[in-house]
Amino acid sequence: MSSIPTENLPPTTSIILPYEEFQYDENKKLGNANGNFYQRKPGVENVHDGQIMIRLKKKRFVILDYGYVPSEEEHEMAKTIPHVSIPKGAGVAKCNTQGCERIGVPIMLYDSDPDEPPSLYLRGGLCFSCQRNLNEKRRTNKKRKKSECIDRADEVGAVPESK
């Protein structure tokens, strides 16, 4: 992940992230396509993936921090702020992928649409890198299944219905 350019932002010191702090990143660096991401703060190799903005469906985006360990006060504070979420194990629980030692449960510093269900990045228990690999495998398998169905239809001479 070190090849991703990042800004020299200071370390995270609070779960409260003012919109002004990431507004430019959202508008100029994140992009609009689903799945785009921008690494705001670098990770530490084999420890955590840093702070990452991810574009989700319908213009929704989240900011996750894998390297910040919240205090008890911040756990309580997050319960009152809809855009912030601190799941159990955030900042300390290891990735669920066998052999991966990075942090697998991030803090969600911001969710642009907190009424939507939590992102897999937040609830999957995988570090960012492993979750991206899993997503890519799923996407590839879906494409492969579609291709196989089309190939089978061609083999049996099936012709799609026209309206």
Side-chain angles (χ1 to χ4, degrees), residues 7-120:
E7 298 297 318
N8 291 327
L9 296 173
T12 303
T13 57
S14 171
I15 61 167
I16 307 300
L17 198 60
Y19 181 70
E20 297 76 33
E21 184 178 320
F22 59 85
Q23 181 178 14
Y24 179 82
D25 294 342
E26 178 201 1
N27 294 328
K28 301 292 183 188
K29 296 183 178 183
L30 183 57
N32 292 321
N34 294 350
N36 279 3
F37 70 94
Y38 170 67
Q39 189 168 17
R40 297 189 74 236
K41 295 181 182 180
V44 176
E45 194 167 333
N46 296 321
V47 178
H48 66 78
D49 288 318
Q51 189 180 104
I52 302 169
M53 294 180 84
I54 307 163
R55 177 73 67 191
L56 303 173
K57 291 182 179 180
K58 300 177 186 172
K59 302 292 182 187
R60 179 182 176 199
F61 71 94
V62 294
I63 301 175
L64 305 177
D65 197 320
Y66 287 85
Y68 185 72
V69 180
S71 67
E72 285 302 317
E73 294 81 27
E74 289 170 321
H75 276 276
E76 292 304 313
M77 191 185 323
K79 294 175 184 175
T80 66
I81 306 169
H83 295 282
V84 176
S85 178
I86 303 176
K88 186 177 180 180
V92 292
K94 298 290 183 195
C95 179
N96 288 332
T97 302
Q98 187 174 359
C100 182
E101 291 296 316
R102 289 186 292 254
I103 299 297
V105 181
I107 295 171
M108 183 170 58
L109 295 174
Y110 188 81
D111 185 344
S112 65
D113 192 352
D115 294 330
E116 288 291 316
S119 165
L120 267 177

Side-chain angles (χ1 to χ4, degrees), residues 144-156 158:
R144 193 174 297 134
K145 283 181 183 177
K146 281 183 183 179
S147 177
E148 287 173 3
C149 288
I150 291 169
D151 290 344
R152 281 192 214 124
D154 289 343
E155 287 173 8
V156 296

